[in-house]
Amino acid sequence: MKISRRSFLKTATAIGASLAWVGPARGSRVHWHERRDLYPQGVASGDPDPHSVILWTRHPFAQGTRQLLTVEVAEDESFRRVIAHAQAPVSSAADWTARVLIGGLKPARTYWYRFTDTDGNGSRVGRTITAPLPNDRRAVNFTFVSCQDVNEGSLNAYRRMIYEDERAPAAEQLDFVLHLGDFIYEVVEYPDEVKTRYDRTIYEVARIPDGLKVGNFHIPLTVDGYRAVYKGYLADPDLQDARARWPFVVIWDNHEFSWQGWQSIQKAGKSRPGQSIKVAANQAWWEYLPSRCKKVSGPSLESFDAPAVTNVAIEKWDENGLGDEPNNLAAINSLIGYRTYRYGKHLDLIITDQHSYRSADPFSDPAAGAFGPEFPSMFPEDVAQVLDGGRAFNGGNPPAEVSFNGAHVPNSQRNAPPQTILGAEQKAWFKGQLRNSTATWKIWGNSEGALDPRADPQNLPPGLTKETWPKTTYATLPTGDYGTAYKERAEIYDLVRDAKITGFAIVSGDRHSFWAGYATSELPPGKFDPVGLSFVGASLSSAGTMEAQEHNFPKTDPLRPLFLADRPDGAKPDWTHNMLLRHGVRSCLEYAKSFDLQRARSLSNPNLAPHLEFVDLGGHGYAKVRLTSNEMRTEFVCIPRPIARSERSDGGPIRYRVLHTAALWKSGERPQLKTSVLEGDVGLAI
Ligand SMILES: [Fe+2]
């Protein structure tokens, strides 16, 4: 695995000026004096491998279109042992951002880096860590995070993460941060137009040039618009400190492009052809987040060189639901996000893109959406499965109609391709990566959750609602992710089982809530047969379901106790929604009546959620993973609702810390999680 200088230079020649190879250690030759104001977005590093890493900064200049910075990499924080010293071009074409690939580094080492301009004005010092060699048996430590809305919240979670990491023993310190998307929210509110939402204060983030306004949201349509949002987000001091402390490995979720968008279609309420908007989103993402993602213009790290595309409606779709239109294909392929990283003996991190190749939403037919109007957020699971399966449902014999309690509507997906989130090409790649992985743990870094959100309204006592939920089906509370992508999920889980793959686990984000459980294709009355573990990490700051429901759920709804249990003393309601997903309606009704947790849990429906060990729809924070030869430990660090910046050096108090441990299982064995509360109160999450 040792890469020679020659082969590094050969593969890196195409990168252009932005590369450096290490040499013998010597003192710094640069008269660096720190001027953070000239590097307003700080520094960052991304996608380390055992011998190289990409370093990043931004230094805008008033004069000219291209300038050179010097980058130094040292073995020590005070730069007495500088091992690389190179030129790093910045240009207006890349919004004055710089990326430099440093090669020849030693595996599993910590390095420090800094940038300096020709006047000696220096960036802050950043720290980065290379990956261990593939045969290195040391433990791997990382966090997975997502959803950092700073328009409506603060990043106290990063402050807490830094505080704890600085005090952790060296062998337990984090190797990298896996960011699973919603790094920015392209829907920006202006505090002079809207002051609050839910519990939130609206904070100034950015002003978007040449954007679009939908409701209270300003939305970018050009690369300058997206750049403005990244600059606003990266002004956050906690995010800057986190990027300066650890390398980040990143993948986008929806908001890096468009809230409800998919492929190159921009959607915020209304759909619009958005080929040029998708390219603009990719360009700004590439400029601000250093990664090894492949861009269509080639490997140069200096500028993105966006392909020219036209915004035209997509009229033809292929058999997998991919828009067969040249501008759409050019836009979604302008930057390839999916990739695999190997970290030592124990981790293959397989990262996928959930938005660029997905098929049309199969659940958008308003006729079927009107099923069961008395049951908030609930949709019949059997109907969801028919719609998800499209023309492939029931072995290619889908029903002509879907029905609920005697109401029949035509099956809108009868001739549609089965729902895919990955798209055919990425899915084939993903399966190959899974099959060929030789690491102890195969972790699927996936922005979207995969654990079923379901409830059992068929067990409600008669009389609570006018209509009775049919006895023959559960309800799903659709989240638009792998939780209702039944067919595609089963295809992947079947592969894991059939290829006898062990150590398979999913880490995801997007749901703004903490979930821990098992990867299983089916739930009762089908066969519960887990092939791996599945986790969802809470949002760092973005508002979640419980916050929304505290504000919006009708007080007089007879099913309110399934979501919120109102305390007689007028205190904040308890979040029975967590209990609904984990234990079912009987537990919720009992809890809302007696507030007796034990009695409520004794009424748990064991067939509802054997796949769930933990769910907290009101949590915020981050998840910390530790992988060894025989165990995966996943710790949820939950903080209070982050509505304002904590001035404390530890980022403020924590709500709870809960640990999910799983021993490595053998092929054919069932994975088993052990959940223990280490600290604090998890409420109704267990
Ligand atoms: Fe989000």
Side-chain angles (χ1 to χ4, degrees):
M1 283 305 292
K2 204 162 160 55
I3 299 168
S4 71
R5 180 170 197 271
R6 192 139 122 249
S7 70
F8 175 80
L9 288 176
K10 212 169 103 196
T11 51
T13 310
I15 287 173
S18 314
L19 91 117
W21 185 263
V22 304
R26 52 184 296 174
S28 173
R29 285 166 287 168
V30 172
H31 297 287
W32 170 90
H33 54 268
E34 192 175 88
R35 282 288 304 275
R36 289 193 188 200
D37 57 316
L38 298 178
Y39 301 81
Q41 284 74 35
V43 297
S45 67
D47 286 8
D49 73 12
H51 298 289
S52 64
V53 65
I54 300 178
L55 306 180
W56 179 95
T57 195
R58 176 170 183 272
H59 183 334
F61 287 86
Q63 305 296 321
T65 56
R66 189 174 187 267
Q67 303 274 354
L68 288 175
L69 305 176
T70 296
V71 61
E72 291 176 287
V73 181
E75 292 173 339
D76 63 318
E77 204 171 352
S78 51
F79 289 78
R80 288 198 191 88
R81 297 192 307 279
V82 174
I83 50 150
H85 171 111
Q87 301 297 301
V90 287
S91 67
S92 56
D95 205 21
W96 301 107
T97 57
R99 282 146 299 276
V100 189
L101 178 67
I102 307 289
L105 300 169
K106 294 185 179 117
R109 290 291 181 100
T110 301
Y111 293 97
W112 285 264
Y113 61 93
R114 66 189 185 192
F115 295 84
T116 313
D117 68 18
T118 48
D119 296 325
N121 300 312
S123 71
R124 67 184 294 171
V125 171
R127 172 182 174 270
T128 193
I129 307 160
T130 50
L133 288 168
N135 59 359
D136 190 323
R137 298 183 158 272
R138 79 183 69 203
V140 180
N141 299 284
F142 68 95
T143 61
F144 61 96
V145 299
S146 57
C147 299
Q148 55 187 27
D149 191 337
V150 297
N151 204 183
E152 296 190 346
S154 58
L155 297 175
N156 299 333
Y158 280 132
R159 179 63 42 210
R160 159 66 54 180
M161 198 189 291
I162 294 166
Y163 180 88
E164 293 195 1
D165 199 53
E166 283 173 346
R167 285 154 185 80
E172 289 172 27
Q173 287 184 347
L174 299 171
D175 298 313
F176 63 94
V177 174
L178 172 62
H179 200 301
L180 293 166
D182 290 358
F183 195 97
I184 58 159
Y185 283 76
E186 95 295 4
V187 284
V188 175
E189 296 154 295
Y190 294 173
D192 46 289
E193 293 178 353
V194 49
K195 299 257 177 292
T196 60
R197 194 172 80 104
Y198 306 147
D199 279 5
R200 307 305 178 111
T201 303
I202 306 305
Y203 300 107
E204 176 71 33
V205 168
R207 300 282 150 160
I208 297 180
D210 306 318
L212 174 78
K213 198 169 177 204
V214 178
N216 286 331
F217 296 125
H218 295 263
I219 297 169
L221 298 171
T222 65
V223 69
D224 283 334
Y226 284 101
R227 285 166 168 172
V229 184
Y230 280 100
K231 278 178 273 206
Y233 270 68
L234 288 170
D236 184 276
D238 297 320
L239 176 54
Q240 281 199 13
D241 286 355
R243 293 225 300 176
R245 179 166 177 82
W246 301 287
F248 271 50
V249 176
V250 290
I251 184 66
W252 52 78
D253 194 35
N254 55 326
H255 282 291
E256 283 84 348
F257 164 47
S258 171
W259 175 23
Q260 299 154 311
W262 55 287
Q263 294 187 26
S264 69
I265 296 166
Q266 195 239 29
K267 190 176 178 204
K270 205 174 118 211
S271 285
R272 288 166 200 82
Q275 285 89 340
S276 72
I277 310 170
K278 174 72 173 171
V279 171
N282 280 350
Q283 176 169 347
W285 188 91
W286 182 88
E287 287 171 347
Y288 280 87
L289 305 183
S291 81
R292 293 182 202 251
C293 292
K294 285 197 190 72
K295 61 183 165 63
V296 72
S297 66
S300 163
L301 289 176
E302 201 167 328
S303 57
F304 185 76
D305 305 317
V309 290
T310 313
N311 296 330
V312 289
I314 302 169
E315 270 148 16
K316 229 176 85 203
W317 306 86
D318 77 5
E319 71 278 11
N320 300 301
L322 183 71
D324 193 3
E325 189 285 314
N327 295 280
N328 180 53
L329 297 174
I332 62 180
N333 291 319
S334 63
L335 187 65
I336 305 294
Y338 56 87
R339 60 205 195 274
T340 301
Y341 280 107
R342 179 66 181 247
Y343 280 84
K345 173 91 183 104
H346 300 313
L347 171 60
D348 263 329
L349 177 59
I350 312 172
I351 298 168
T352 56
D353 169 355
Q354 277 58 245
H355 295 278
S356 302
Y357 317 104
R358 70 187 299 155
S359 54
D361 176 9
F363 306 116
S364 58
D365 176 22
F371 284 163
E374 285 183 277
F375 301 88
S377 315
M378 295 185 196
F379 190 76
E381 187 183 50
D382 58 351
V383 176
Q385 287 167 345
V386 170
L387 298 175
D388 168 71
R391 63 173 172 245
F393 186 79
N394 187 31
N397 291 298
E401 293 180 325
V402 288
S403 55
F404 180 83
N405 273 353
H408 302 276
V409 303
N411 173 6
S412 62
Q413 301 300 300
R414 192 180 177 189
N415 299 309
Q419 181 184 200
T420 174
I421 292 178
L422 294 172
E425 201 176 319
Q426 181 180 214
K427 185 156 58 187
W429 169 88
F430 177 65
K431 288 177 167 179
Q433 296 296 304
L434 261 182
R435 236 185 248 116
N436 296 330
S437 171
T438 55
T440 313
W441 296 94
K442 296 91 185 162
I443 307 287
W444 182 8
N446 154 358
S447 64
E448 296 204 325
L451 288 163
D452 290 66
R454 68 175 196 169
D456 58 351
Q458 67 270 33
N459 292 334
L460 283 168
L464 210 53
T465 48
K466 286 191 219 92
E467 190 176 23
T468 311
W469 191 274
K471 285 287 170 219
T472 49
T473 188
Y474 281 87
T476 179
L477 288 78
T479 36
D481 55 17
Y482 292 99
T484 45
Y486 303 99
K487 194 172 183 302
E488 184 156 271
R489 216 177 53 180
E491 201 182 322
I492 291 158
Y493 297 169
D494 286 351
L495 164 74
V496 172
R497 186 186 310 100
D498 297 346
K500 301 189 179 351
I501 295 165
T502 64
F504 171 69
I506 303 170
V507 297
S508 48
D510 175 59
R511 286 187 186 176
H512 301 187
S513 45
F514 281 121
W515 303 56
Y518 304 98
T520 176
S521 304
E522 291 181 35
L523 289 170
K527 191 179 175 204
F528 171 60
D529 185 15
V531 298
L533 307 171
S534 191
F535 300 97
V536 182
S539 74
L540 287 161
S541 59
S542 315
T545 305
M546 294 324 303
E547 188 176 340
Q549 288 186 338
E550 284 174 9
H551 284 263
N552 292 343
F553 206 99
K555 285 261 189 314
T556 53
D557 192 310
L559 297 187
R560 181 172 166 94
L562 307 184
F563 300 87
L564 292 159
D566 293 304
R567 293 261 173 194
D569 59 4
K572 275 210 150 195
D574 285 11
W575 300 334
T576 39
H577 198 163
N578 294 337
M579 190 173 250
L580 175 69
L581 302 178
R582 176 90 173 77
H583 297 287
V585 297
R586 289 182 180 129
S587 294
C588 293
L589 294 176
E590 174 59 37
Y591 186 80
K593 200 169 65 192
S594 67
F595 292 94
D596 183 333
L597 190 54
Q598 232 176 342
R599 226 159 101 184
R601 281 192 192 140
S602 74
L603 298 173
S604 180
N605 174 359
N607 292 321
L608 169 68
H611 64 305
L612 288 183
E613 293 289 342
F614 187 94
V615 54
D616 182 8
L617 300 175
H620 299 278
Y622 58 94
K624 209 164 80 178
V625 176
R626 180 171 172 84
L627 302 171
T628 59
S629 60
N630 54 15
E631 194 179 63
M632 175 173 183
R633 293 161 72 87
T634 308
E635 187 179 306
F636 293 166
V637 182
C638 180
I639 59 165
R641 198 168 283 171
I643 55 177
R645 184 178 308 284
S646 166
E647 295 308 325
R648 284 167 47 164
S649 60
D650 65 357
I654 73 163
R655 253 188 68 211
Y656 59 76
R657 185 190 306 272
V658 58
L659 177 65
H660 312 282
T661 309
L664 183 66
W665 56 96
K666 292 196 179 70
S667 169
E669 281 179 5
R670 197 176 264 201
Q672 197 68 53
L673 278 169
K674 216 179 86 209
T675 291
S676 40
V677 180
L678 304 181
E679 193 181 340
D681 180 3
V682 299
L684 306 183
I686 289 180

